[in-house]
Amino acid sequence: MEAAYGGFLRRCAEAAERLSSLFREKANVLVVGHNDADALSSLGILCGTAHLLDATYVAVSVPRMEEVFADESYREFDAVVFVDMGSGYLNLIGERISAPVLVLDHHKPLPVERPPNVFQVNPHDFGIDGSTMVSASGVTYLVCRNVTEEARVYSPVAVVGALGDLQDKDHGRRLVGLNELVVREAEELGLMRVEEDLILYGKGFRPIHEALASTNSPFLPGITGNEAAALKLVLSAGIEPRNGDSWRTISDLSPEEKARLVEALASHLSSVGAPQSLMSELTGYVYELTGEEPGTPLRDAREYATLLNACGKTGNAWIGISIAMGSRGWVMREAERVLAEYRSSVARAMEFAMRREVREEMRNIVVLKGGTEIDPRQISSVASILSSSNLLPPDKPLVALAQEGGIVKVSARASSALVEQGLDLGEVMRVAAERVGGRGGGHKMAAGAEFPADRTTLFLIEVDGLVGEVLARARAGKQLRLV
Ligand SMILES: [Mn+2]
């Protein structure tokens, strides 16, 4: 398998050499990342490796690139490493930073000349799809394991980042490509076990009905967010929810009980008109971190990702980075508190998003108008959850908006069917945002943008037009590039 990725892995080794010499020389290194689970995993792996080498570094997590350049403090460092960001900003980085820069990213790079001081590691440069084959945490891991063998302990954290970026798009929600290579290394080290099982949130530590009601990915109509309905479903499946004084968890169920639960869920979902495809998302590959305490959110890689995301999206990135580096104890207790608060605030945002009147259907897109009711830091979670529900027309991408101050933050999602027809939301967001004086970009299926709030209508018209144009031409059988 390694052979197929030879060029890319050699690039990782080259980046590792640069990183090791910076670390060995005790250079003052600034490490910058985004604030989602993949970014915090990447920051954790990189800082953990720096820590192993007793290197000097400062890590920051920022919601957007512009914040890095909001003041001049980045100039005080001997080198800058960007993780999970940077490939879309090579121009800006080259203009502003004169020190050596390392970019470890999986977003599609801009087709621009590479500034001489920037060394980029990006799977797209090697024909490897960065939206399904490897995330930033995987890239960072594949670099760091060349810096020191000891960094291999972070292989499970790399898997967490990939799942945080929803890269489990293969049949059975399996990770493939370079992600699979990392999974295999984690298994060989005895740090991970992969099994096919139910994929429900908190299945190892929550009461069964609570696990069902807290499952957001996929969104289960009538069950997600409704514990009473979930309990009714458990009872209707003939499953005893309690064992004496304590609640049973999904992990406690026998295979036969699990099968009954699946059957009850399937018949519930078909009775509410949910698509059959939903069931196939409920079972699949489960990535278990065997070195973690059973019954904690860190034991399951998808739940671990949710915890990191909660830290990043609530201004508590440092907690997530520390967890990913390996801190436990009181840091873990803080993380669990942040997670609980985050889940209830996302639940409130979802309740708002579910109201029909906040969604508007345009010719080619569906718009969710979050206004100031939805925290811009949570708009991407809300968009992900909503796009996995069956409430939206499958043939139109979702464009979710939230506003803070004079800035609107956008998170857009498209189905894989639309992507197969040629839609590239990252490209659409980039072009539309630039036309209204903002910035955008991302992946084909999931992308984002930001722009001044008074341009909202204009932006939506641009997006609607671009999506319509791409789909019409793709449907006519032609391949084209925007702009
Ligand atoms: Mn990422």
Side-chain angles (χ1 to χ4, degrees), residues 34 36-39 42 83-85 105-107 130 134-137 161-162 164-165 167 443:
H34 204 245
D36 63 12
D38 183 34
S42 309
V83 292
D84 199 26
M85 68 196 311
D105 199 357
H106 67 128
H107 295 89
V134 67
S135 68
S137 60
D165 263 4
Q167 297 205 327
H443 303 294

